[in-house]
Amino acid sequence: STNIRVNDSLTIYGQKQGTGKLSVTGSMERPAMESAGAITINGGNVIASGLMAGIDLGIYETSSITINGGNVTAIGKVHDSVGIGRALTGTSKGIITFNGGVVNATGDSGYGINASSNGTVSTGTDGHAVIFTNGIPDYHSRDLWNGIVFIGTQGKVYGSIVTLKDNVTIPEGYTLEIGKNQKLVIPEGVTLTNNGAIFVDGAFEGTADNLYYPLNITGAENAGWDCTTSLPGANYNGKTYGKAGKQLLFRGFAALGERQYRVFTVKTDETTKEVISRSSQHSITMPYAGTNINVELKRFLPLSFGLNGGELEEGSLKRSEEDLKADPASPLQGYLYPEKANREDPYILPTA
């Protein structure tokens, strides 16, 4: 249809399954939608495209706009237009609230959403909207937002906990940040299709592809490491992240001495795992958590033992490090224990 204008309030529902569709195109004189009262969108698929010069708006408001759900696309195409709200030349107070839904709002002005410098752009305290826009003016405070907002290709989670209620696709080339002390929840029955990258400094609950967690690697150079890891990861905002579930390949190590080995200590907030390797390269699966990996170069200590039916018997240290430096020959049958190993240590490695 062309132009929807009411003198009171306008409320849009999306039918029982949310499949209803409304497409509106504005004219050179009027925006696509406008109301003297309030515009409320509760669901459905709403597309509003405005061509109005000067204050060209996809959805125009004289009092308030509230989006509670649905898939809403709003486009302002010329001059200082925005998708949702008032053109940048407007000064009347406007109130725009995003409680839910998936919103795409773009404007030729460089801002897709604007309620004027005297107005407000906010979310509900339990807001779960996902907003894609080319800009929101800085005079609209972000402090009380709760939801996900993409400005251009860069998205952020706002609020301490955001639980998605609608299926969402993050396009390729887009990034989403989950900050410290924040949590994004994808409940059962809701699908997040992530073709971009999600960087998790806080917490992520649910299922999605392309999750990246903070990765810190220490000690590798002292352990004879002379090249970078081959890791599926990324540098983002000056930090290194590893791609969860993928292999981090450490390679290019200097040759080990006869009794040397490397210990890879993989530590997250909840777990610590040590892995011993004598190989020139080593792979570690990136956990679904922020991870610290420390690499140490150590030496095996020989233990005296006897072989009884092929089983390793208890023994004790037979020769000191000083003795071994003077005379490296060892009568041991090729088995060495790591330093400070207890008798339950599972790592018994040959010297070769």
Side-chain angles (χ1 to χ4, degrees), residues 54-79:
I55 54 170
D56 188 6
L57 302 173
I59 297 177
Y60 181 75
E61 52 82 21
T62 54
S63 58
S64 67
I65 299 172
T66 301
I67 298 177
N68 296 317
N71 289 280
V72 179
T73 299
I75 304 169
K77 293 186 176 180
V78 296
H79 300 304

Side-chain angles (χ1 to χ4, degrees), residues 1-4 23-27 30-32 47-51 77:
S1 64
T2 301
N3 300 112
I4 294 179
S23 182
V24 187
T25 302
S27 67
R30 309 303 317 175
I47 301 173
S49 178
L51 298 173
K77 293 186 176 180

Side-chain angles (χ1 to χ4, degrees), residues 1-237:
S1 64
T2 301
N3 300 112
I4 294 179
R5 185 182 185 188
V6 296
N7 293 323
D8 194 358
S9 296
L10 174 64
T11 302
I12 299 172
Y13 297 91
Q15 300 181 358
K16 186 175 181 180
Q17 301 299 323
T19 56
K21 183 174 182 179
L22 175 63
S23 182
V24 187
T25 302
S27 67
M28 291 301 295
E29 291 80 22
R30 309 303 317 175
M33 292 183 188
E34 60 180 317
S35 170
I39 295 176
T40 303
I41 300 175
N42 291 317
N45 297 284
V46 179
I47 301 173
S49 178
L51 298 173
M52 187 175 180
I55 54 170
D56 188 6
L57 302 173
I59 297 177
Y60 181 75
E61 52 82 21
T62 54
S63 58
S64 67
I65 299 172
T66 301
I67 298 177
N68 296 317
N71 289 280
V72 179
T73 299
I75 304 169
K77 293 186 176 180
V78 296
H79 300 304
D80 65 345
S81 63
V82 298
I84 298 176
R86 293 193 180 280
L88 296 185
T89 55
T91 58
S92 300
K93 181 179 180 180
I95 300 173
I96 303 175
T97 305
F98 298 98
N99 291 315
V102 180
V103 179
N104 285 269
T106 57
D108 188 72
S109 64
Y111 298 102
I113 299 167
N114 177 46
S116 86
S117 58
N118 298 314
T120 59
V121 175
S122 64
T123 70
T125 55
D126 188 30
H128 51 268
V130 180
I131 300 169
F132 297 87
T133 181
N134 61 331
I136 301 174
D138 290 337
Y139 48 68
H140 292 307
S141 173
R142 277 83 165 147
D143 293 343
L144 299 179
W145 286 3
N146 206 91
I148 296 174
V149 180
F150 286 87
I151 305 294
T153 61
Q154 295 185 316
K156 290 184 178 182
V157 171
Y158 290 87
S160 57
I161 300 177
V162 175
T163 302
L164 285 191
K165 301 294 180 65
D166 303 278
N167 297 336
V168 178
T169 297
I170 298 176
E172 184 178 357
Y174 281 58
T175 60
L176 175 62
E177 299 175 32
I178 304 175
K180 280 188 175 182
N181 303 317
Q182 291 183 316
K183 185 177 184 178
L184 177 59
V185 179
I186 315 299
E188 187 175 352
V190 175
T191 300
L192 173 59
T193 302
N194 179 29
N195 297 321
I198 299 177
F199 294 95
V200 186
D201 284 287
F204 180 90
E205 181 180 314
T207 302
D209 294 328
N210 304 322
L211 299 175
Y212 293 79
Y213 290 85
L215 174 62
N216 182 42
I217 301 172
T218 57
E221 291 183 1
N222 293 331
W225 186 37
D226 59 10
C227 73
T228 59
T229 54
S230 174
L231 62 91
N235 290 313
Y236 185 76
N237 285 345

Side-chain angles (χ1 to χ4, degrees), residues 216-225 253 263 293-297:
N216 182 42
I217 301 172
T218 57
E221 291 183 1
N222 293 331
W225 186 37
F253 284 104
V263 177
I293 298 177
N294 185 58
V295 188
E296 295 179 88
L297 182 64

